[in-house]
Amino acid sequence: VDNALDGLTGQQTVATRTLDERLLSRVTARFPAIQVSPISAGDVASARFILTTTVTVLDQSQNKSSSYRLSFSLTDGRSGIVVALAAAQATGETVDITPTSFYRDSPSLVKDRTVEGQIRTAQTPAGSAADGVYLSSLSVAALIAEGSRLYEAAQYTEALAVYETAVARPDGRHMRVYNGLYLSNVQLGRMEGAEQAFGRLVQLGLATNALSVKFLFRPGSTEFWPDPKISGPYPMWLRVVARESIAAKACITIVGHSSRTGSEQSNDRLSVSRAASIQRRLEVVAPEIARQL
């Protein structure tokens, strides 16, 4: 059973973790003759079937409770063919989409090609091929899953060792791996290692045209969130993004966001202002980057 993901963001949430626990419990109880286990590095190579799951919001209206689609696919590990697909629906009152601590703390959003393949596989009709990139990355995904579990259990030294094992593999260059290296080093106070991991994360994001670093702002403001545990690393992030962008000769599109509360006009202005504030900060760090933004 692979870790369930949010079908829009690619993150793990309280809801997806709850779903994982219930799936393991119910399938194990209902089919005692079948060995069922969460994805792990030791089991993934011999797995006969892989169960892949997503939780996707269907209605984000502010005026009523959101509804969610739960998608489940079962893939034959030998042929790579999806042999069964099922779906169920849940309402917002029972679905907690708060990200788990690994995804909440990660500096970069992680919906890369592998994650997209996992989401696609969970929604693939029976008889069709599962996503090839996703299937070929299952061994690394198992290490990522183990590392995130250790991180969320505050076992940072052990988590760092798992992520270092993952990144040493030829197929280990994943956003989630670099996020894990960064987060584990930060928690252990190893800031040089954290900066190196963040630099490799930025390099990968630039190389794949998928760099997405999260800067959080005070509500209604272009000032960063005041908690130093959150915004303290931002000067380093800006410096590394500028340095790696210049080295890669990459042009950067800066996108600002706001919440869904308030008027559309004020949110448009705030979003543009936040993007412009990041642009100015990058230009202060490295004036030569101005023509690339």
Side-chain angles (χ1 to χ4, degrees), residues 22-62:
R22 292 182 181 178
L23 276 173
L24 284 167
S25 174
R26 293 182 183 185
V27 174
T28 300
R30 186 167 180 179
F31 304 102
I34 300 175
Q35 181 183 354
V36 183
S37 63
I39 188 169
S40 67
D43 293 338
V44 69
S46 60
R48 182 69 176 87
F49 297 98
I50 301 103
L51 184 63
T52 312
T53 313
T54 55
V55 179
T56 307
V57 66
L58 298 176
D59 182 3
Q60 293 182 293
S61 170
Q62 297 183 49

Side-chain angles (χ1 to χ4, degrees), residues 160-179:
L160 180 60
V162 170
Y163 290 122
E164 287 175 339
T165 298
V167 82
R169 294 171 52 101
D171 56 352
R173 295 180 70 233
H174 292 256
M175 284 290 191
R176 288 178 293 177
V177 173
Y178 291 131
N179 275 322

Side-chain angles (χ1 to χ4, degrees), residues 189-207:
R190 302 175 182 177
M191 301 315 295
E192 182 177 349
E195 181 166 342
Q196 290 176 353
F198 186 79
R200 295 172 77 180
L201 183 154
V202 172
Q203 290 170 5
L204 178 60
L206 292 171

